[in-house]
């Protein structure tokens, strides 16, 4: 299965008649493995800051998580494994695997829990596969 199929079939899937706003699988070096057409154009330093927060949990909390020029307030996550952010009625979830970042961006009516479940489930699967 191609990486694009993971994004199209597993991340941008139907959730009670809705779907994530955008999703991507990136290498921890910032390389794009696959992304939805709606995924924002990001800067390398934004991905570097996210990866740094996985290595040193809490570094994003004071400044927020930035992706594609959008700032998300960092909320509860799992240090070293998951970063969650909120912006208005939407937000972001980033799950780190051994080699990748699985990222989902959502807006109402998708709930934070629905986004987290989709992103973290695929991330856990990739970890099980050694990725």
């Amino acid at each position: 299965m191609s990486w694009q199929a993971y994004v199209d079939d597993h991340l941008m899937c139907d959730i009670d008649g809705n779907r994530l706003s955008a999703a991507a699988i990136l290498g921890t070096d910032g390389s794009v493995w696959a992304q939805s057409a709606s995924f924002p154009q990001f800067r390398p330093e934004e991905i570097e800051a996210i990866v740094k927060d996985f290595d040193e949990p809490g570094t994003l909390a004071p400044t927020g998580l930035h992706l594609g020029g959008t700032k998300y307030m960092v909320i509860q996550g799992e240090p070293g494994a998951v970063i969650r952010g909120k912006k208005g009625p939407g937000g972001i979830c980033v799950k780190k695997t051994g080699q990748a970042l699985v990222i989902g961006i959502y807006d109402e009516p998708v709930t934070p829990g629905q986004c987290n479940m989709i992103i973290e489930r695929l991330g856990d699967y990739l970890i099980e596969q050694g990725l």
Side-chain angles (χ1 to χ4, degrees), residues 30 55 62 101 106 120-121 131:
D55 296 336
L101 302 173
Y106 66 93
E120 293 174 37
R121 185 181 292 161
L131 297 165

Side-chain angles (χ1 to χ4, degrees), residues 18-74:
N18 303 299
R19 61 185 62 231
L20 297 177
S21 305
I25 303 172
L26 308 178
T28 53
D29 61 356
S31 60
V32 176
W33 292 10
Q35 64 185 19
S36 64
S38 55
F39 197 76
Q41 181 67 44
F42 59 87
R43 297 192 324 271
E45 55 269 22
E46 293 173 326
I47 302 305
E48 291 167 12
I50 292 169
V51 171
K52 181 179 179 186
D53 193 82
F54 283 115
D55 296 336
E56 302 170 36
T59 56
L60 284 179
T63 60
L65 183 160
H66 293 80
L67 187 70
T70 300
K71 179 181 176 179
Y72 298 90
M73 180 178 67
V74 177

